[in-house]
Amino acid sequence: MNIYDIAKLAGVSIATVSRVVNDSPLVSEKTKAKVRRVMEENNYTPNVFARGLGLGTMKTIGIVCPDVADVYMARAVALIEKSLRESGYDCILQCSGKKDPDDARAAVTNILNKKIDALFLIGSFYMLEGEDDPDTDYIREAAKSVPVFLVNGYVRGENIYGALCDDRSATEQAVNLLISEGRKRILFLYNTDSHSLREKRQGYFDALAAAGLPIDESLLFFSLGGIEGAKHDLLLSCPKDIDAIFAANDRLAVGALKYAREAGISVPDELSIIGYDNSEIAVSCDPELTSVDSMCETLCRININSLRSLLQGEVPAAKSYTKGILVRRASTLL
Amino acid sequence: MNIYDIAKLAGVSIATVSRVVNDSPLVSEKTKAKVRRVMEENNYTPNVFARGLGLGTMKTIGIVCPDVADVYMARAVALIEKSLRESGYDCILQCSGKKDPDDARAAVTNILNKKIDALFLIGSFYMLEGEDDPDTDYIREAAKSVPVFLVNGYVRGENIYGALCDDRSATEQAVNLLISEGRKRILFLYNTDSHSLREKRQGYFDALAAAGLPIDESLLFFSLGGIEGAKHDLLLSCPKDIDAIFAANDRLAVGALKYAREAGISVPDELSIIGYDNSEIAVSCDPELTSVDSMCETLCRININSLRSLLQGEVPAAKSYTKGILVRRASTLL
DNA sequence: CTGAAAGCGCTAACAC
DNA sequence: GTGTTAGCGCTTTCAG
């Protein structure tokens, strides 16, 4: 059932049917009604490919992220998908993997071929070494064909928009809290090297410096493998004299909590722990963990609004910030 | 830059270019190389819409689920996306919402218009009252145009495939464990009414019956609102004489754990708790919870394999089962 | 307000 | 091996 069939059945030309489909004001209400009836009777829907060919768009947006199974990204995808669907867009999702930046490039190249109308990149992973890193040139390249939106990231370039959580100051704030509780030997626990991580580390340094505390490289603790991995690694080689842990994500923080339990260290009396992301596992554990909310939804929303502005011919800000919020729970003292 | 441009630049006809694009054996290696070079120099990629129009497919598969922000579905989407990408398919994702079955219908209708090559439905939500529920007719309707695959679900019909976790027997097994530990007043804690839930409830009844324990309607405890909600509701009105809780998902189980902590009930000494889904929060809490692994990945994989078989002209089984696995941890006694 | 006809860029049957 | 050409189903001038 195509536009010709409908035209024939309705006794009009295909041009008229097309106009009805697109709700053009150039058609009389009468013929509109007639054509609509025929379309419904045959439950006709226009062929999206043909439509795409003619129009050059199928109203889809591309979402690329390292891994949807990650709760943070899943939340972002869910929100973006929902919002953009309300504006009539479908979403093509592509997970690019968490390791190799080259895979990111391949993913972007691939999804661009789908002639999407906009591209969302989720996670600071795509930011690499900073806003001007030449390794992100593929993003600038992509931006030549569609607007690109970074959720918790920004890359300088024409037609590129991004929103960032100020991880640096949020971390500084979190570490300040620990310091204000009298903590002096604060472990920085992390498991990746992303832009976001570097910002957190810097915030950690900032807080220490402001308090006149020494920066001790041995307090930067790297551990892969999630909850179990962190627990295991800490049991193996955590410096014994620490009195607090700032973890770059909640999974690590829970691992730290389990380490403390197993090592017979009481939390928060002997050891304070702060996590990051304010995810469900931060409230599943016991004691519940203080955690920094990295404002995933807010970042998504900023980008979505930028896209909406763009569609209306307005020019949105290229780069926006939001503050992380420290959500305080039992595992810090005060 | 289209096929005509490339043809001109390479000094061949568009047919030849098309053949090169599709790696047809009918072209000499020499001209193939020449055309390829021109394509690369201009980094030409064929227009997917035109291709779709001619071929009737753009090699995309549709994934519909109630909510990707849910960890279970996120895992499923991640796996399906990854596997099918390896086979050259892109994925369109659409979240249909968790409440209204009509939204599911709308989502399916919408995504079908995209001329997808297959449809995945994630979650037993879509199964409604059973395999033959007329309210799932829209799925049978969809199956007339593309094969439909249900992850943890099945609907009887031509061209419909599904894989289910045997939630009934897994639950029975879990409740049996509780009974074998001497528990007699076992609360059944739940928050939805899906096919899967009904199976769990039945498994719960089975275990009680087999052990000669009475079925007490007051032990069926409904609670919305996740961890906090469950804790709150239990504090308010949990029967005082229970000695175990079987929770239909880990979130509820953790809520139960928090309830016990707050009510001063020791786990597992006075109260055993078993969760469902074997998710990360079941190992974030303390004590870690025994939980049933509902085999999300396995169910996805079965469906993916069915699709692959179908593409090769084989006829896969319409309905498959997998067993849930009881993962035992500290919160049960033995 | 409506219709005729020229694309949109590609595939595939058919010639050579 | 390669080229010609007729669609695929829709949008959009351009006429009327």
Side-chain angles (χ1 to χ4, degrees):
Chain A
M1 183 78 13
N2 61 27
I3 201 170
Y4 291 94
D5 300 323
I6 300 298
K8 200 164 294 169
L9 289 171
V12 297
S13 74
I14 60 163
T16 299
V17 176
S18 176
R19 289 190 187 105
V20 172
V21 165
N22 296 290
D23 201 25
S24 154
L26 302 176
V27 186
S28 74
E29 281 309 319
K30 199 170 162 184
T31 50
K32 243 183 199 172
K34 182 174 59 180
V35 173
R36 287 226 177 87
R37 215 169 46 74
V38 176
M39 295 199 305
E40 287 186 5
E41 276 168 5
N42 300 273
N43 50 63
Y44 161 79
T45 46
N47 180 303
V48 283
F49 300 148
R51 205 140 202 268
L53 226 205
L55 256 32
T57 163
M58 247 173 74
K59 293 258 275 179
T60 53
I61 73 115
I63 303 178
V64 172
C65 72
D67 180 18
V68 243
D70 179 293
V71 281
Y72 183 92
M73 295 165 203
R75 272 161 65 190
V77 171
L79 181 63
I80 295 171
E81 195 273 338
K82 184 160 173 292
S83 303
L84 293 182
R85 184 161 309 287
E86 286 165 6
S87 306
Y89 289 87
D90 286 288
C91 293
I92 298 184
L93 176 67
Q94 178 152 5
C95 303
S96 62
K98 317 184 87 143
K99 298 162 209 157
D100 195 345
D102 278 351
D103 292 340
R105 175 202 317 281
V108 167
T109 312
N110 176 71
I111 209 165
L112 277 182
N113 285 0
K114 254 58 201 182
K115 299 237 178 273
I116 52 178
D117 298 299
L119 176 61
F120 279 74
L121 262 27
I122 302 175
S124 85
F125 177 80
Y126 299 103
M127 208 173 156
L128 300 179
E129 296 294 330
E131 300 182 355
D132 298 301
D133 188 336
D135 286 342
T136 56
D137 277 348
Y138 73 96
I139 295 179
R140 277 174 276 271
E141 193 58 35
K144 287 180 185 161
S145 29
V146 294
V148 178
F149 300 89
L150 309 202
V151 175
N152 202 19
Y154 179 66
V155 164
R156 199 187 314 281
E158 196 72 31
N159 213 20
I160 302 178
Y161 305 87
L164 292 142
C165 175
D166 189 346
D167 293 314
R168 179 168 174 174
S169 79
T171 301
E172 183 182 5
Q173 196 187 337
V175 175
N176 274 340
L177 174 62
L178 293 170
I179 293 172
S180 74
E181 288 174 353
R183 307 299 174 164
K184 294 198 168 359
R185 298 278 298 163
I186 303 167
L187 193 83
F188 182 87
L189 180 60
Y190 68 108
N191 68 347
T192 44
D193 181 28
S194 63
H195 170 76
S196 173
L197 189 276
R198 290 188 293 276
E199 289 289 303
K200 289 172 190 168
R201 190 173 46 208
Q202 201 53 55
Y204 167 76
F205 289 155
D206 291 347
L208 294 184
L213 290 172
I215 286 175
D216 181 347
E217 291 283 331
S218 73
L219 291 181
L220 301 178
F221 197 99
F222 179 83
S223 170
L224 281 172
I227 297 175
E228 271 307 307
K231 170 179 148 188
H232 173 264
D233 292 347
L234 287 169
L235 279 168
L236 218 64
S237 56
C238 181
K240 294 306 161 212
D241 60 343
I242 64 166
D243 50 19
I245 295 179
F246 171 85
N249 67 52
D250 286 336
R251 207 176 266 120
L252 291 170
V254 170
L257 192 56
K258 300 219 167 246
Y259 149 73
R261 174 92 50 202
E262 192 140 331
I265 300 166
S266 105
V267 175
D269 298 331
E270 299 172 72
L271 183 72
S272 281
I273 298 175
I274 291 186
Y276 213 103
D277 281 347
N278 194 29
S279 63
E280 203 158 36
I281 68 169
V283 296
S284 298
C285 54
D286 184 45
E288 298 185 2
L289 293 174
T290 292
S291 183
V292 176
D293 191 317
S294 40
M295 310 300 279
C296 174
E297 276 79 8
T298 305
L299 297 180
C300 290
R301 210 145 256 143
I302 292 173
N303 279 307
I304 292 165
N305 286 337
S306 296
L307 170 54
R308 295 231 168 94
S309 300
L310 220 53
L311 292 174
Q312 290 168 17
E314 297 161 23
V315 181
K319 183 179 175 184
S320 315
Y321 280 105
T322 188
K323 287 227 160 297
I325 291 180
L326 188 60
V327 180
R328 293 167 68 159
R329 300 200 184 86
S331 81
T332 52
L333 291 170
L334 299 182
Chain B
M1 184 76 15
N2 62 26
I3 200 170
Y4 291 94
D5 300 322
I6 299 297
K8 200 163 294 168
L9 288 171
V12 297
S13 75
I14 60 162
T16 298
V17 176
S18 175
R19 289 191 188 103
V20 172
V21 165
N22 295 289
D23 201 25
S24 154
L26 302 176
V27 187
S28 75
E29 282 307 321
K30 199 170 159 184
T31 48
K32 243 183 200 172
K34 182 174 60 183
V35 173
R36 286 226 178 87
R37 214 171 46 72
V38 176
M39 294 199 305
E40 287 185 6
E41 276 169 4
N42 300 274
N43 51 60
Y44 161 79
T45 45
N47 180 304
V48 284
F49 300 148
R51 206 146 203 264
L53 225 205
L55 256 31
T57 162
M58 248 172 75
K59 293 258 273 179
T60 52
I61 73 117
I63 303 178
V64 172
C65 71
D67 180 18
V68 243
D70 179 293
V71 281
Y72 182 92
M73 295 167 202
R75 272 161 67 189
V77 170
L79 180 63
I80 294 171
E81 195 273 337
K82 184 159 174 292
S83 304
L84 293 182
R85 183 161 309 286
E86 286 165 6
S87 306
Y89 288 86
D90 285 288
C91 293
I92 299 184
L93 175 68
Q94 178 153 7
C95 303
S96 62
K98 318 185 87 144
K99 299 165 207 153
D100 196 344
D102 278 350
D103 293 339
R105 175 202 318 280
V108 167
T109 312
N110 176 71
I111 209 165
L112 277 181
N113 284 351
K114 254 59 202 182
K115 300 242 179 267
I116 51 178
D117 297 299
L119 176 61
F120 280 72
L121 262 28
I122 301 176
S124 85
F125 176 80
Y126 299 103
M127 208 173 154
L128 300 180
E129 296 294 330
E131 300 182 355
D132 298 301
D133 188 335
D135 286 341
T136 57
D137 277 348
Y138 74 96
I139 296 180
R140 278 173 276 273
E141 193 57 35
K144 287 180 184 161
S145 30
V146 293
V148 178
F149 300 88
L150 308 200
V151 175
N152 202 19
Y154 179 67
V155 164
R156 198 187 314 282
E158 196 71 33
N159 211 19
I160 302 177
Y161 305 87
L164 291 142
C165 174
D166 189 346
D167 294 315
R168 179 168 172 174
S169 79
T171 300
E172 183 181 5
Q173 196 187 336
V175 176
N176 275 340
L177 174 62
L178 293 170
I179 293 172
S180 74
E181 288 173 353
R183 308 297 173 164
K184 293 195 168 3
R185 297 279 297 165
I186 303 167
L187 192 83
F188 182 87
L189 181 58
Y190 68 106
N191 68 348
T192 44
D193 181 27
S194 62
H195 171 75
S196 173
L197 189 276
R198 290 187 293 276
E199 289 290 301
K200 290 172 190 167
R201 190 173 45 207
Q202 201 52 57
Y204 167 77
F205 289 155
D206 290 348
L208 295 183
L213 290 172
I215 286 173
D216 180 348
E217 290 282 332
S218 74
L219 291 181
L220 301 178
F221 197 100
F222 178 84
S223 171
L224 280 171
I227 297 175
E228 270 309 305
K231 169 179 149 188
H232 174 263
D233 291 347
L234 287 168
L235 278 169
L236 217 65
S237 56
C238 180
K240 294 306 162 214
D241 59 343
I242 64 167
D243 50 19
I245 295 179
F246 171 85
N249 67 53
D250 286 336
R251 206 175 267 120
L252 291 170
V254 170
L257 191 56
K258 302 222 164 240
Y259 149 73
R261 173 94 48 202
E262 191 140 332
I265 301 166
S266 105
V267 175
D269 299 331
E270 299 172 73
L271 183 72
S272 282
I273 298 175
I274 290 187
Y276 213 103
D277 282 346
N278 193 30
S279 63
E280 202 156 39
I281 67 169
V283 297
S284 299
C285 54
D286 184 46
E288 298 185 2
L289 293 174
T290 293
S291 183
V292 176
D293 191 318
S294 39
M295 310 299 279
C296 173
E297 276 80 8
T298 305
L299 297 180
C300 290
R301 212 147 251 143
I302 292 173
N303 279 308
I304 292 165
N305 286 337
S306 296
L307 171 55
R308 294 229 169 95
S309 301
L310 219 53
L311 292 174
Q312 290 169 16
E314 297 161 24
V315 181
K319 183 180 176 184
S320 314
Y321 280 105
T322 188
K323 286 228 160 297
I325 291 181
L326 189 59
V327 180
R328 291 167 67 160
R329 300 199 184 87
S331 81
T332 53
L333 292 171
L334 297 183

